[in-house]
């Protein structure tokens, strides 16, 4: 937010094909044989009509589904850019000197230092740009001013990034203090992060950043 071949021959369509399409029988080309039969076109149309009717009857639910499904486009963008950034900044350019700035700490082994930070920064910026366009044009179909929505979205994006970096450590520590092992604690922290991002970002996008006029 889809020819079966039998042993028999196809029957010729009836002469009044154009005038009987609504009957669903005279207007269909049938295939006889052992393997099965073709799905009538009017059944497919009925299913499509039922889906469209459900969407029209539940626009807010459908919008929320689209919000969550299409958010994966930015996730894919983030993964692709992270892969390319690691290849360029770390492997090719060798920018692996330890780097630390405010809440960003790329000094541990495996963090790739400055190259890891540059990769993260580039991937996050491009992913947020993609998500902004997708949410505004495809999900909320907003007619708000692009410039007005952009600065508001930038604030939200920074907030989410900061929370994503800071919150998991606290949640993981809390879970381990309750006796959970590190794997379970990390999973819980990831789930909490995801749910919080949805709970915060969806209403802000819908009613403040990208409202319909």
């Amino acid at each position: 937010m889809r020819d079966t071949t039998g042993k028999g021959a196809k029957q010729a369509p009836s002469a009044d094909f154009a005038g009987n399409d609504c009957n669903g029988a005279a207007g269909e080309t049938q295939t006889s044989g052992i393997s099965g039969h073709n799905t009538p076109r009017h059944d497919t149309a009925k299913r499509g009509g039922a889906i469209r009717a459900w969407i029209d009857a539940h626009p807010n639910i459908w919008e929320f589904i689209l919000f969550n499904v299409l958010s994966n486009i930015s996730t894919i963008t983030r993964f692709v850019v992270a892969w390319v950034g690691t290849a360029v900044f770390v492997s090719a350019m060798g920018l692996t000197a330890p780097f630390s700035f405010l809440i960003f700490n790329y000094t541990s082994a495996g963090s790739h230092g400055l190259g890891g930070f540059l990769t993260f920064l580039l991937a996050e910026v491009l992913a947020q740009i993609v998500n902004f366009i997708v949410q505004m044009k495809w999900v909320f179909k907003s007619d708000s001013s692009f410039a007005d929505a952009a600065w508001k979205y930038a604030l939200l994006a920074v907030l989410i990034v900061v929370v994503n970096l800071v919150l998991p450590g606290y949640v993981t520590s809390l879970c381990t203090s309750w006796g959970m092992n590190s794997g379970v604690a990390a999973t819980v922290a990831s789930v909490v992060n995801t749910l919080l991002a949805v709970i915060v970002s969806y209403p802000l996008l819908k009613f403040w950043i990208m409202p319909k006029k």
Side-chain angles (χ1 to χ4, degrees):
M1 177 128 62
R2 272 194 195 120
D3 192 8
T4 56
T5 304
K7 295 184 178 179
K10 289 184 179 179
Q11 298 177 354
S14 60
D16 58 345
F17 174 83
N20 291 279
D21 188 61
C22 62
N23 294 328
E28 302 292 335
T29 300
Q30 299 178 347
T31 302
S32 61
I34 298 175
S35 59
H37 60 277
N38 291 335
T39 302
R41 286 194 300 268
H42 69 277
D43 285 352
T44 303
K46 283 182 179 179
R47 286 196 294 270
I51 294 173
R52 172 51 56 186
W54 185 90
I55 292 173
D56 292 340
H58 306 87
N60 291 326
I61 297 177
W62 177 243
E63 182 182 78
F64 186 70
I65 292 173
L66 283 180
F67 167 77
N68 286 283
V69 172
L70 296 184
S71 292
N72 290 309
I73 297 177
S74 67
T75 301
I76 294 171
T77 301
R78 185 179 289 106
F79 279 123
V80 171
V81 176
W83 179 78
V84 173
T86 301
V88 173
F89 296 127
V90 178
S91 300
M93 300 178 65
L95 302 176
T96 57
F99 176 83
S100 180
F101 177 71
L102 298 177
I103 62 173
F104 304 102
N105 185 8
Y106 288 80
T107 59
S108 61
S111 65
H112 302 306
L114 178 59
F117 170 73
L118 293 177
T119 297
F120 162 79
L121 187 63
L122 181 61
E124 195 62 39
V125 168
L126 292 180
Q128 294 299 340
I129 290 174
V130 168
N131 194 53
F132 172 76
I133 295 172
V134 167
Q135 300 297 341
M136 186 168 187
K137 299 301 181 183
W138 294 356
V139 177
F140 298 104
K141 298 179 176 63
S142 175
D143 51 7
S144 299
S145 165
F146 183 88
D148 186 52
W151 74 263
K152 293 177 181 177
Y153 182 84
L155 289 179
L156 175 63
V158 170
L159 173 64
I160 290 176
V161 168
V162 171
V163 171
N164 285 344
L165 290 174
V166 175
L167 185 61
Y170 290 102
V171 175
T172 301
S173 298
L174 180 62
C175 290
T176 53
S177 69
W178 290 345
M180 299 181 187
N181 62 49
S182 58
V184 175
T187 301
V188 172
S190 179
V191 171
V192 170
N193 244 16
T194 301
L195 290 177
L196 185 62
V198 171
I199 293 171
V200 171
S201 62
Y202 180 75
L204 287 178
L205 287 170
K206 181 178 178 65
F207 299 111
W208 182 54
I209 301 174
M210 304 174 180
K212 292 179 182 178
K213 294 182 179 179

